[in-house]
Amino acid sequence: MPRNSPAAYVQGKTIDKPWELAGALEEAVREPGPYLLNVKVTQFECVYPMVPAGAAIQEMVSGRRNP
């Protein structure tokens, strides 16, 4: 369970292996209340949309930029 979940009384889980995702999503959907699913990815994964570290929300990146 993610560190901040117990304080907020929210069920949750952290996963870091791709094969854990399907089961974790099923578990989240079965939960009748809110559920926090923390999915760890490598720093090289392209996960969008994102806000770069130190940037404002208006600086959100929505996809790869072509050089």
Side-chain angles (χ1 to χ4, degrees), residues 18 22 24 26 28-30 34-35 39 45 57 66-67:
E26 288 175 12
V29 170
R30 283 193 307 267
Y35 193 94
V39 181
E45 293 292 330
I57 190 69
N66 293 327

Side-chain angles (χ1 to χ4, degrees), residues 22 39 48-50 54 64:
V39 181
Y48 298 104
M50 64 165 274
R64 289 185 188 217

Side-chain angles (χ1 to χ4, degrees), residues 1 5-6 15 21-22 30 32 34 42 45 51 55 62-63 67:
M1 184 174 301
S5 290
I15 62 168
L21 184 58
R30 283 193 307 267
T42 68
E45 293 292 330
V51 177
S62 61

